[in-house]
Amino acid sequence: MSATPFETQVEFELPKGYIDKTGEVHKKGVMRLANAADEIVPLNDPRVKMNPGYLSILLLERVVVKLGTLKKVDSHVIENLFTADMAYLQDLYQKVNAVEPQFTNITCPKCSHEFRYELPFFGEA
C-alpha cells in the first residue's frame, strides 16, 4: 500500500522581490513547512526579547529555504524585504502551517438527514 506523498515545501513568487547588493531582483522562492523548533527556538533570541515583532523575521529566516539565486536566506535578507513581500510571506506562512479542521459525516437517527460536522480541535467544545 503506497501513501500519497506529503508536500512539505511550497513554491512562491514575491509581489515585489528582494533586491540584492548587485541590484539583482529575487522573486521566486520556496518555503518549507514549519516544525515545533521553528516556533520555539527564536523565542530565546535576544532580538525577539527586545522586540517581539522580530519573531516574524526569525521564523521566515528558518522556513524560507530558497529565494532566487541567493546562496542563503538569512535575517538580513528578510529584514530588507519590501513590506508587501514581508506581508505576503507572513500570510503564506499562516496558510501553509494552519491546522486544517477535520470533518465527519453524521446521520440524524430520527430524520436520517445527513450533514458534515467539524470535529473539535484538541477536545474543544
Side-chain angles (χ1 to χ4, degrees), residues 29-73:
V30 176
M31 179 184 288
R32 68 168 173 77
L33 291 177
N35 58 42
D38 293 327
E39 299 224 349
I40 295 169
V41 171
L43 295 174
N44 291 320
D45 190 291
R47 296 170 291 184
V48 173
K49 290 181 179 186
M50 289 180 59
N51 178 2
Y54 204 77
L55 178 61
S56 292
I57 290 171
L58 296 182
L59 282 171
L60 292 174
E61 171 191 20
R62 292 175 67 96
V63 298
V64 175
V65 295
K66 183 175 182 185
L67 184 57
T69 60
L70 296 175
K71 292 182 180 177
K72 183 179 180 187
V73 179

Side-chain angles (χ1 to χ4, degrees), residues 72-115:
K72 183 179 180 187
V73 179
D74 58 16
S75 59
H76 175 77
V77 170
I78 303 298
E79 287 172 352
N80 287 286
L81 291 173
F82 293 109
T83 56
D85 293 331
M86 182 71 174
Y88 173 85
L89 289 175
Q90 288 172 318
D91 184 57
L92 182 62
Y93 179 91
Q94 291 298 323
K95 286 178 182 172
V96 301
N97 291 295
V99 176
E100 296 178 20
Q102 297 294 313
F103 291 92
T104 187
N105 293 326
I106 296 178
T107 303
C108 176
K110 292 184 180 180
C111 69
S112 298
H113 174 74
E114 291 187 16
F115 58 96

